[in-house]
Amino acid sequence: MPANPSAPVLVGDEPGSFPHSVLAERHPAVIRQVRDACPYGPGQHRALDALLESCAEGVIDDLPAAAPDRDRWQDWGLGQYAGHSWFDVPWLWSESYFYRRLLEAVGYFAPGPWQGIDPFRPSKLAELDSPETDEELAALDELGGKPAAERADALLHGSLWGNRADLGFRLSAGGAEAAPPVPALVADDREALWSLLPPSGSGTLCLVADNAGRELVPDLLLVAHLLAQGRVRRAVLHVKPYPYYVSDATTADVVDAVRRLTAAPGAAAEHGRRLWAAMADGRLTVRAHPFSCAPLPYADMPADLREDFAAATLTVFKGDLNYRRLVGDRQWPPTTPFADTTGYFPGPLAALRTLKSDVITGLDADTEAALDAAEGERWRVAGTHALIQVGT
């Protein structure tokens, strides 16, 4: 991104703003959801109550001295922000740290019977096993007889719009799921994306996943298609090392999704078996880098992750949070060129994202004006518009 970006970093200190509503409304809703999802004990309930109070009226606390990642969070800014209001530090940072403290409250990291238990797993599994997922998988049978290019476009759009299955977004976006199924794209670099993944390709695709469940399934279907059609020789799926942002995908969620596919009838099972075989022989690998849960933009990525992305033919970033981290969580003018905010990236990249937060770059002035005239500011956060952007 620009060496000295003029766009201010987003914070949640302005009542009525979208970041403020996330901190003041969505996070308490997430705490209530977690309390109801698992039969936690009194100690966990007290810790959740304390976190709820802290989010509403308190300040950011340090992690326990014994926390396994305390030093890492110190490097990521905890020493700078501890003691400050959740609303007065960068929004990306406060959101990320909220989920880290939520896991602390339910005992995810501490030795004991709740260690490693995903507090969001009930919601993830309910969505993965829903009738809506059955319907979406059944639709794959209709694609079998279509030309490869048409199937590729359909699966790309499935991956793009699958982002609307984001569980955390639903908690504070009542009715968004009832919007038209395929609203117009505000940016569409689809042809540039396919030019980077030609038939008979021999490179590597990195896909930085976002959500589990009904979003991860179409992501995996897209990967399966690209491997089967020979557009890539190898794929690397980057997921979160621990539960994050309610529905973000972990390795366990990848396993659940592949099993869901292999147990389905028809074409879905064929895709599932291809994915299973690809994981077994190394053509599809899963990576859960600690930086995937960092409260920082990708411009600050460590050297080993930069090397991974540099070696890829294309890196695809899925979802809203990854977009915010990719371009920087700032109040960019929407016409700021996408290339200007991603010029630091070490290789070709693409963003597939439905719009659920204020951050946006790469629009032309006419598109921005038309969206503002039709919807005011709501088009930025409602999840009813999407984009495909490519940088090389």
Side-chain angles (χ1 to χ4, degrees):
M1 68 183 59
N4 297 294
S6 57
V9 172
L10 285 167
V11 294
D13 60 347
E14 183 181 344
S17 68
F18 186 70
H20 188 278
S21 72
V22 169
L23 298 175
E25 301 170 17
R26 183 184 297 182
H27 287 180
V30 170
I31 292 174
R32 289 191 293 270
Q33 178 197 26
V34 167
R35 286 177 64 101
D36 294 340
C38 296
Y40 292 122
Q44 290 153 313
H45 282 281
R46 286 192 296 269
L48 289 170
D49 289 341
L51 179 60
L52 182 61
E53 182 178 356
S54 172
C55 291
E57 302 174 1
V59 297
I60 294 167
D61 294 324
D62 200 348
L63 288 171
D69 55 350
R70 186 175 183 275
D71 289 346
R72 183 179 297 142
W73 275 93
Q74 287 289 328
D75 293 340
W76 288 345
L78 181 56
Q80 176 182 356
Y81 297 129
H84 292 264
S85 166
W86 293 87
F87 294 88
D88 292 338
V89 306
W91 180 42
L92 175 63
W93 199 96
S94 59
E95 269 199 295
S96 297
Y97 193 61
F98 165 78
Y99 286 100
R100 174 58 184 83
R101 291 312 305 244
L102 184 65
L103 294 181
E104 191 75 36
V106 299
Y108 183 88
F109 292 103
W114 291 95
Q115 187 176 32
I117 301 299
D118 184 348
F120 310 121
R121 185 169 173 78
S123 297
K124 292 176 178 178
L125 290 179
E127 182 182 81
L128 194 60
D129 294 335
S130 68
E132 290 81 4
T133 302
D134 289 332
E135 294 172 8
E136 291 164 3
L137 294 181
L140 288 171
D141 295 337
E142 302 175 12
L143 286 179
K146 298 187 181 298
E150 189 173 339
R151 279 183 283 148
D153 269 350
L155 292 169
L156 179 67
H157 278 270
S159 178
L160 171 66
W161 290 107
N163 183 240
R164 290 173 61 192
D166 179 342
L167 300 172
F169 178 69
R170 277 194 203 161
L171 290 172
S172 58
E177 63 271 23
V182 187
L185 300 179
V186 299
D188 186 0
D189 292 344
R190 187 181 356 166
E191 292 186 6
L193 186 153
W194 290 132
S195 73
L196 294 167
L197 299 174
S200 67
S202 59
T204 297
L205 170 74
C206 281
L207 193 151
V208 184
D210 191 31
N211 296 307
R214 284 173 58 205
E215 178 180 356
L216 184 58
V217 165
D219 291 346
L220 290 170
L221 292 173
L222 177 61
V223 169
H225 177 80
L226 295 176
L227 287 169
Q229 294 297 311
R231 285 181 176 265
V232 295
R233 181 177 55 84
R234 180 171 175 263
V236 181
L237 183 66
H238 287 258
V239 298
K240 303 299 189 295
Y242 51 77
Y244 193 59
Y245 278 67
V246 180
S247 55
D248 281 30
T250 65
T251 302
D253 299 317
V254 175
V255 174
D256 287 338
V258 174
R259 283 177 171 166
R260 178 72 166 89
L261 286 169
T262 57
E270 296 177 13
H271 285 291
R273 287 190 290 270
R274 291 191 189 104
L275 290 164
W276 197 291
M279 295 181 77
D281 64 25
R283 287 176 295 129
L284 172 58
T285 59
V286 179
R287 186 164 191 202
H289 195 285
F291 192 77
S292 295
C293 288
L296 304 172
Y298 275 102
D300 296 334
M301 76 180 91
D304 63 329
L305 189 57
R306 176 176 290 272
E307 290 172 2
D308 269 10
F309 293 148
T313 305
L314 176 67
T315 299
V316 175
F317 287 87
K318 275 297 310 292
D320 198 76
L321 175 60
N322 281 326
Y323 188 87
R324 290 166 56 194
R325 296 184 67 196
L326 180 64
V327 305
D329 204 34
R330 295 175 175 271
Q331 294 176 349
W332 298 110
T335 54
T336 303
F338 181 66
D340 286 0
T341 61
T342 58
Y344 68 88
F345 199 77
L349 72 145
L352 304 182
R353 174 216 183 189
T354 49
L355 277 56
K356 302 177 186 176
S357 67
D358 293 306
V359 178
I360 183 71
T361 67
L363 297 191
D364 62 59
D366 289 343
T367 299
E368 180 191 4
L371 288 164
D372 285 342
E375 303 179 33
E377 293 290 307
R378 181 167 169 74
W379 63 268
R380 295 170 177 256
V381 301
T384 54
H385 293 279
L387 58 78
I388 302 172
Q389 290 176 325
V390 171
T392 57

